[in-house]
Every structure is written in C-alpha cells, then in structure tokens.
Amino acid sequence: VRPFETIPCPEEVAPPKDQCTFPLRGEPRVPYYWEPACEVGVLGCWADGLHAECRFCGKGVFANLTCPETAHYPANHSAANNSAAIDNSANHSAAN
C-alpha cells in the first residue's frame, strides 16, 4: 500500500477511476492502456504513477508488450502506423 492510498480524495479532485490519468506531464509519447491484471513490479504497469492498472506498451522498452485495440496512442500516431513509428523511432535514436 502506498502512503495515503487509503485516504479518499474529495470527489472534485480525485483522479478518474478505471482509466489512466496523466495530470502532471500530459499525455505520454508511449502508447498506454488499462490492464486490470497489472500490479507493482510488472513491466509497463503504473504508467501514470497513479493507477497500477495503467500500462505502457508497444514502444521503447515496452516494444515487446503488444498494445490492445483499446490502447491510447500519442496524438501524432495511430494504431495503424504504430509499428512504423516504432521502427522510425529506433532508426532515429540509432542515428543520434
């Protein structure tokens, strides 16, 4: 249990339940999705830092985690071009 996890937040400031939330840094550049089976210590889990069930997938160190159809992708990517984006990202990183 994380500190203060058992103390309920007032409804007007509580993070949404059952969905990833990125209040401090905005949407990540890595795809993510809600995975009810996620838990502390599992690769990609706790993606938003608020919910264990929020999981990164499909890019960078999470490339081996297949993104489901329900995954959220960065604004400039879509599920259809995700594999191409990953390849381009890897090529760009290798060039720098």
Side-chain angles (χ1 to χ4, degrees):
V1 175
R2 295 170 59 169
F4 308 108
E5 193 172 72
T6 58
I7 299 171
C9 286
E11 199 170 313
E12 63 273 6
V13 296
K17 294 183 184 233
D18 301 330
Q19 70 180 37
C20 299
T21 305
F22 299 91
L24 298 177
R25 299 197 173 128
E27 291 288 309
R29 294 181 182 176
V30 177
Y32 61 91
Y33 67 102
W34 191 261
E35 171 58 69
C38 245
E39 56 188 46
V40 174
V42 176
L43 182 64
C45 297
W46 288 92
D48 64 359
L50 298 172
H51 304 97
E53 301 87 354
C54 185
R55 190 174 198 182
F56 284 131
C57 62
K59 187 173 180 182
V61 298
F62 312 107
N64 289 335
L65 297 174
T66 303
C67 295
E69 289 184 23
T70 57
H72 298 271
Y73 291 85
N76 60 347
H77 293 88
S78 68
N81 70 11
N82 188 44
S83 62
I86 292 168
D87 291 342
N88 289 338
S89 174
N91 291 338
H92 179 70
S93 295
N96 289 331

